[in-house]
Amino acid sequence: MASVLLDAGACNGCGRCAEICPVDVLRMDAATGRARVAYPDDCSGCHFCAQECPTKCITIDDRRETDGVSIYDRLGIADNWKS
Ligand code: SF4
Ligand code: SF4
């Protein structure tokens, strides 16, 4: 598990993070037009959102204690990214 930190003030409302998050941690807030962290406890620390964000306003804190389950295991897919 990891913590996703969002600087909402720097968010441009593009929605890319919400689209790419495999576990729907991030959602677009209709009231503000910006992203918000809707389900922080579900963040796996995959970094997809931070890599996709054009304004670099997302930071992933990997220091949160891990439960030993990777995002690949959670999704039931093969981990082809590791060398
Ligand atoms: S690091 Fe991965 S799981 Fe966590 S919010 Fe970003 S895309 Fe979602
Ligand atoms: S990708 Fe970045 S700029 Fe776009 S909605 Fe998400 S946090 Fe905001």
Side-chain angles (χ1 to χ4, degrees):
M1 302 285 276
S3 295
V4 56
L5 309 172
L6 176 61
D7 178 5
C11 173
N12 69 9
C14 71
R16 292 185 191 177
C17 59
E19 287 181 20
I20 203 166
C21 179
V23 286
D24 290 337
V25 170
L26 299 162
R27 296 289 176 85
M28 295 309 293
D29 187 315
T32 65
R34 293 173 172 167
R36 67 181 174 90
V37 182
Y39 300 100
D41 289 344
D42 291 345
C43 178
S44 66
C46 68
H47 288 245
F48 292 167
C49 57
Q51 291 168 4
E52 188 72 10
C53 179
T55 65
K56 304 301 179 193
C57 60
I58 300 174
T59 304
I60 307 301
D61 183 351
D62 295 311
R63 292 173 298 176
R64 195 167 144 189
E65 192 171 329
T66 179
D67 63 3
V69 180
S70 77
I71 182 61
Y72 304 100
D73 290 335
R74 287 183 193 284
L75 296 175
I77 58 176
D79 181 356
N80 294 323
W81 299 91
K82 292 179 182 175
S83 56

